[in-house]
Amino acid sequence: ACPGFETCLAAARNDYTDACNDLRMLAERGLPRRLLQEYHWLRRRPGLDFVSTMVARQQEPFLCYDVQAERGAVPEAGLTTLTNAGFRSCAVLPCVYDGVTLGLLVCLGRAPCSVSEPELVALRNLADVLTVALRRQRRDEATQRQMAAISELMRQAQRAQSSATSADDLGAARRICQQGARARVVREWGIAGAATPAPAPLANLLRAAASTDTPQRVEWAEDDGGRIALAIPAQAQEGHAAVGAIWLKQDLCSGMEATLLQVYAQVCA
């Protein structure tokens, strides 16, 4: 799909973390082993910026006709990696959805190369196809993970019916829910044994969910990205109760997060 370049890579963000350098290869054509070794060696050194890091952060395509002639436009580590591997031109396009960089399309040439408008349109279309594939992959992986967590929670609830439950059982269920939902925080309110305090936004949401007996949701922004909190009412012998969680906005992938919280609420009850 990229005939003007010798090397083409499709890369995805690993685990969707904030470490933009943490990429995993999805597909490649003509990738020299030396380029990969140089990249992995350099990224161990703190403070170095790569083209991939810059594009993932800025979420804008980067096109360079000649890295030797446009040295000032190429980050230090990126310039070193490309030069040592014998590349002169590059085009890097981000795969962005809902404000999050899911992956990158990287095209590298061994000679100076200007990208024509039709070629740029073709590259953008290819990046769009990759974005759709990455969205689908994230959703499918999240759904499988959450279904496994729901099954494990139900098994734990069945075991609890035959014996007295403890705070350790509640902690184990919380860990299953948190790992399955990939939530940053999972907390309970109004449930015996739940002594761990919740962050203020979630605590307010838990109280609202418990008092109104309706699910609650709130979104807000912090320096490192958006946050979403959900709270689900729970039936408890002690009276009003609720369970809830906080996610980074990009970690809500499948739409099943609320369902997982509902199952967790049943287990807690």
Side-chain angles (χ1 to χ4, degrees), residues 85-219:
F87 289 105
R88 294 287 298 273
S89 57
C90 69
V92 184
L93 291 86
C95 300
V96 180
Y97 175 71
D98 199 19
V100 178
T101 303
L102 305 182
L104 300 171
L105 174 64
V106 183
C107 306
L108 305 173
R110 296 193 178 279
C113 176
S114 60
V115 180
S116 67
E117 187 61 29
E119 289 172 332
L120 182 57
V121 170
L123 288 179
R124 289 184 185 275
N125 290 340
L126 184 57
D128 289 343
V129 171
L130 180 57
T131 302
V132 172
L134 289 171
R135 285 175 56 194
R136 184 181 298 119
Q137 181 189 48
R138 292 186 73 195
R139 184 192 64 223
D140 292 348
E141 288 178 350
T143 299
Q144 293 174 4
R145 185 175 63 249
Q146 288 158 10
M147 289 299 296
I150 288 172
S151 299
E152 183 60 30
L153 286 173
M154 296 306 295
R155 284 193 292 270
Q156 189 179 56
Q158 291 171 355
R159 290 195 299 267
Q161 291 177 356
S162 60
S163 60
T165 59
S166 65
D168 290 340
D169 296 325
L170 182 63
R174 186 189 298 119
R175 285 191 296 273
I176 293 169
C177 181
Q178 186 166 356
Q179 292 166 2
R182 194 165 276 160
R184 293 315 195 243
V185 175
V186 172
R187 292 290 184 267
E188 312 81 21
W189 186 83
I191 296 175
T196 307
L202 183 57
N204 296 335
L205 210 64
L206 289 170
R207 285 191 288 268
S211 61
T212 63
D213 198 32
T214 57
Q216 303 288 322
R217 175 188 175 109
V218 67
E219 297 186 28

Side-chain angles (χ1 to χ4, degrees), residues 2 39 69 113 127 200 264:
C2 310
Y39 171 75
C113 176
Y264 178 60

Side-chain angles (χ1 to χ4, degrees), residues 15-36:
D15 202 30
Y16 323 115
T17 64
D18 294 326
C20 296
N21 276 348
D22 197 8
L23 300 168
R24 61 187 170 101
M25 198 71 65
L26 297 178
E28 60 88 10
R29 187 191 76 186
L31 177 65
R33 182 178 296 274
R34 181 176 178 181
L35 176 67
L36 203 57

